[in-house]
C-alpha cells in the first residue's frame, strides 16, 4: 500500500477505517472501470518492483489499487477490496488479533517512509488490515456522505454476534442501533462516537464472510448502467435505504471484486430496475444508516 496524497482526509484515528485498497488481476482494466463508474481520478504511486495507483477524488487520495500478489493467488485469493483500520500500535494490535482468534497473512511490516501495516483475517476468515501512518495526516476524517468516498462499511459474517465481540475487543467498536427483521439482526457499530457501519449474519448463498465497502456516487441508476457498460455486474438493487431517500446497489467489477454504491435516484431512473418489494436474504442489506 502507498501513502495518500493531496488534502489530508485520513488521520491515524484509532479504530477508524483509514485506507482502502483493491487487489486485482488486471490493474489497467480496474483503473479504467472505477474511474468511469465512481468518477475517480488516477495517480501513479509505483515503487521499484511494485506497480501501484492511487484513486483520487478531487485533490484527495481515497484508495489504491495493486496487483494481487502471486502468493495470494496460489492460496486461492480472488480480487477484492481490503479495508485498513487505524491503530496506535500495529504490533500490539496484531498480537491482540491473534489472541482473539484471528490470523495474520502479512505480519507487521514497514512500508518505507509511509506506514506500518499488517494484513489479517478475523476468526471467521473475513480479511481486515491494520495501519499506522508514519507521518499522521493533518486533517480530520471527512463526513461519511462525502461524494467519491467510502460512506459505509458492512460485514457479512458467519455469526455477527461473535464477529462483533471480536471487533469490539480489537478496535473498541461499540454497538449502535439495530434493525431486526424476518431474516435476522442488522447491527450497526460506531467508532469514536460515530456510526460507521453494520454487520449481520450472511445468507447461505454467500460462500464466505467478507467486508463490503460502499462508494458514494450521485445518480444510482446512471452508475449502475456504467457498471454494466464497463463489464461489471449489478448483483442486486437498487434497494432503497429505509428512511433516508438513498439507494444502494451491490456489484462486481470485471475481475470479480465485490463492491457497492450508494446514491440518489433520479426520476427518469425509476423503471430501469425493479424496486425491491421485500427484505429477503438476497437483498443487499437490511439496515444501513438512518439519515
Amino acid at each position: 500500500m502507498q501513502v495518500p496524497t493531496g488534502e489530508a482526509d485520513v488521520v491515524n484515528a484509532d479504530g477508524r477505517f483509514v485506507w482502502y485498497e483493491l487487489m486485482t488481476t488486471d490493474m489497467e482494466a480496474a483503473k479504467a472501470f472505477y474511474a468511469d463508474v465512481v468518477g475517480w481520478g488516477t495517480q501513479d504511486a509505483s515503487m521499484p518492483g511494485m506497480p501501484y495507483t492511487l484513486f483520487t477524488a478531487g485533490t484527495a487520495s481515497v484508495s489504491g489499487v495493486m496487483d494481487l500478489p502471486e502468493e495470494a493467488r496460489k492460496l486461492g485469493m480472488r480480487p477484492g477490496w481490503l479495508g485498513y483500520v487505524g491503530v496506535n500500535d500495529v504490533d500490539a494490535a496484531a498480537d491482540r488479533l491473534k489472541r482473539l482468534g484471528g490470523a495474520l497473512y502479512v505480519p507487521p511490516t514497514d512500508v518505507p517512509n509511509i506506514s506500518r501495516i499488517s494484513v489479517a483475517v478475523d476468526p471467521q476468515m473475513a480479511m481486515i488490515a491494520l495501519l499506522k501512518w508514519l507521518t499522521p495526516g493533518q486533517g480530520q476524517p471527512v463526513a461519511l456522505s462525502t461524494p467519491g468516498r467510502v460512506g459505509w462499511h458492512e460485514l457479512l459474517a458467519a455469526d455477527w454476534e461473535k464477529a462483533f465481540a471480536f471487533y469490539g475487543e480489537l478496535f473498541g467498536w461499540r454497538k449502535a442501533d439495530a434493525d431486526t427483521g424476518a431474516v435476522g439482526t442488522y447491527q450497526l457499530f460506531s467508532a469514536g462516537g460515530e456510526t460507521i457501519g453494520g454487520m449481520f449474519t450472511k445468507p447461505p448463498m454467500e460462500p464466505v464472510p467478507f467486508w463490503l465497502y460502499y462508494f458514494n456516487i450521485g445518480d444510482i441508476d446512471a452508475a449502475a448502467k456504467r457498471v454494466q457498460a464497463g463489464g461489471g455486474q449489478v448483483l442486486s438493487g437498487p434497494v432503497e435505504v429505509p428512511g433516508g431517500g438513498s439507494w444502494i446497489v451491490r456489484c462486481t467489477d470485471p475481475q470479480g471484486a465485490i463492491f457497492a454504491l450508494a446514491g440518489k435516484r433520479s426520476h427518469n431512473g425509476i423503471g430501469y430496475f425493479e424496486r425491491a418489494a421485500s427484505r429477503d436474504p438476497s437483498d443487499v442489506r437490511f439496515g444501513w444508516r438512518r439519515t
Side-chain angles (χ1 to χ4, degrees), residues 4-13 16 18 60 133 135-143 149:
T5 58
E7 65 187 67
D9 63 310
V10 290
V11 298
N12 181 31
R16 297 291 298 265
V18 295
W133 301 118
T135 303
Q138 298 178 351
Q140 296 297 317
V142 297
R149 310 302 178 89

Side-chain angles (χ1 to χ4, degrees), residues 69-133:
E70 187 61 34
E71 309 78 51
R73 301 187 197 196
K74 290 178 180 178
L75 291 172
M77 289 179 59
R78 300 174 60 83
W81 281 92
L82 175 65
Y84 288 77
V85 178
V87 294
N88 289 326
D89 186 325
V90 171
D91 296 76
D95 287 341
R96 189 162 64 249
L97 182 146
K98 289 189 294 183
R99 289 198 307 271
L100 293 169
L104 302 182
Y105 275 0
V106 178
T109 303
D110 285 329
V111 180
N113 302 315
I114 296 174
S115 62
R116 188 165 179 80
I117 66 167
S118 182
V119 180
V121 290
D122 68 21
Q124 300 176 32
M125 299 303 290
M127 288 192 68
I128 195 74
L130 312 171
L131 179 147
K132 181 176 182 178
W133 301 118

Side-chain angles (χ1 to χ4, degrees), residues 236-240 247 265 273-285:
S236 56
V239 175
E240 188 172 19
W247 294 76
R265 198 160 202 190
F273 293 94
E274 291 183 5
R275 177 170 176 166
S278 64
R279 292 288 188 268
D280 60 45
S282 64
D283 277 345
V284 178
R285 62 188 307 147

Side-chain angles (χ1 to χ4, degrees), residues 37-186:
V37 170
V38 187
W40 285 332
T42 60
Q43 177 182 334
D44 182 64
S46 300
M47 299 176 66
M50 182 182 174
Y52 197 94
T53 295
L54 298 170
F55 285 125
T56 60
T59 60
S61 300
V62 296
S63 60
V65 57
M66 61 179 288
D67 286 319
L68 182 64
E70 187 61 34
E71 309 78 51
R73 301 187 197 196
K74 290 178 180 178
L75 291 172
M77 289 179 59
R78 300 174 60 83
W81 281 92
L82 175 65
Y84 288 77
V85 178
V87 294
N88 289 326
D89 186 325
V90 171
D91 296 76
D95 287 341
R96 189 162 64 249
L97 182 146
K98 289 189 294 183
R99 289 198 307 271
L100 293 169
L104 302 182
Y105 275 0
V106 178
T109 303
D110 285 329
V111 180
N113 302 315
I114 296 174
S115 62
R116 188 165 179 80
I117 66 167
S118 182
V119 180
V121 290
D122 68 21
Q124 300 176 32
M125 299 303 290
M127 288 192 68
I128 195 74
L130 312 171
L131 179 147
K132 181 176 182 178
W133 301 118
L134 298 185
T135 303
Q138 298 178 351
Q140 296 297 317
V142 297
L144 288 174
S145 59
T146 304
R149 310 302 178 89
V150 174
W152 196 249
H153 314 88
E154 184 171 272
L155 176 63
L156 287 78
D159 182 323
W160 80 262
E161 291 180 285
K162 292 181 179 178
F164 181 82
F166 169 83
Y167 286 104
E169 186 71 20
L170 180 61
F171 296 132
W173 291 347
R174 296 182 179 276
K175 289 182 179 179
D177 293 339
D179 292 313
T180 302
V183 294
T185 298
Y186 189 89

